[in-house]
Amino acid sequence: MATARSRRVENTESTRQALVKSAVVLFTKKGYAGTSLDEIAKRARVTKGALYHHFNGKQALFEAAFEDVESQVVRRLSAVLFAGGDIWETVRAGLGEFLQVCLEPSYQRIVVHEAPAVMGWERWREAEERYTFGVIREAVQALVDAGEFTPLPIEALAHVVYGALSAGASTIAGSARPKQTSAEVGQVVDAVMQGLRVAACAGTSCGH
């Protein structure tokens, strides 16, 4: 009985994941308005009834796709940011990884372009704070704790750093030359980080 139940749970989760993955692909390729639930169900090889068993409509499915993309971003950033070693260098590497994420079509289309309109600005910002912002806040806190940044109010400091990254992501996503723009945004973000570090090192012997 337990085995049969666990198999049903596994099948249910498998169906849900297939729908989410299908939604990510189609929303990335065609956008929210250009994608139908029929297409998502067909690509996932499930019935539309099965789709409605898991999601009450297209927006709910979009939000699941958004969460799937953002969860992968968090895993990637966390793997770099908290890998150990020199905290300054690992955070810089983590920010570089974020700029690479900004070049990916699924992140550009779903998170940057579509989500604010589909989810509404406030809901989108709240969701972002649960994902990417949370990782950035931890990284900023680690820099403050290590004495690399001036111990300013952590929430404000984290939001300023995240705001710079978020603006950079929008700039990259809207660019006709995204790779070049990503490199340029990287230079600016690094300058901002170095500026904060300079403040922390004022009057001491630590360098850039």
Side-chain angles (χ1 to χ4, degrees):
M1 191 71 175
T3 302
R5 183 180 183 280
S6 63
R7 193 174 298 127
R8 284 198 302 272
V9 171
E10 184 179 326
N11 289 339
T12 297
E13 181 57 28
S14 177
T15 298
R16 187 183 188 280
Q17 281 301 309
L19 285 164
V20 172
K21 296 300 183 185
S22 174
V24 169
V25 171
L26 290 170
F27 286 140
T28 299
K29 183 178 179 181
K30 305 177 71 173
Y32 183 78
T35 301
S36 71
L37 290 178
D38 286 323
E39 291 175 293
I40 293 172
K42 182 178 180 181
R43 193 179 192 284
R45 297 182 178 178
V46 304
T47 65
K48 198 169 180 182
L51 184 153
Y52 277 114
H53 176 74
H54 293 278
F55 302 99
N56 61 17
K58 189 160 72 165
Q59 181 165 340
L61 190 45
F62 178 88
E63 292 188 15
F66 170 91
E67 290 176 0
D68 184 73
V69 173
E70 278 284 45
S71 294
Q72 292 181 50
V73 172
V74 167
R75 284 194 291 272
R76 285 177 59 177
L77 295 185
S78 297
V80 178
L81 286 167
F82 309 115
D86 181 82
I87 185 60
W88 178 256
E89 294 304 325
T90 55
V91 169
R92 288 184 70 194
L95 298 183
E97 182 70 14
F98 177 75
L99 294 177
Q100 289 301 307
V101 166
C102 291
L103 293 172
E104 297 183 359
S106 61
Y107 187 83
Q108 289 185 2
R109 189 71 180 264
I110 293 174
V111 176
V112 179
H113 285 311
E114 299 275 357
V118 175
M119 298 169 65
W121 180 261
E122 288 301 322
R123 188 173 175 81
W124 174 64
R125 296 304 296 181
E126 288 171 6
E128 280 284 84
E129 293 203 3
R130 292 198 306 272
Y131 291 101
T132 311
F133 173 75
V135 179
I136 297 302
R137 188 192 183 286
E138 286 185 57
V140 169
Q141 181 71 68
L143 288 170
V144 170
D145 291 344
E148 295 284 0
F149 275 0
T150 302
L152 296 165
I154 191 65
E155 288 299 321
L157 183 57
H159 274 96
V160 167
V161 173
Y162 177 72
L165 293 172
S166 184
S170 296
T171 303
I172 294 166
S175 174
R177 296 185 297 276
K179 288 186 178 180
Q180 179 182 328
T181 302
S182 177
E184 293 169 352
V185 169
Q187 291 177 337
V188 174
V189 169
D190 195 53
V192 170
M193 297 288 287
Q194 292 285 8
L196 288 166
R197 196 184 192 198
V198 167
C201 295
T204 74
S205 60
C206 64
H208 288 215

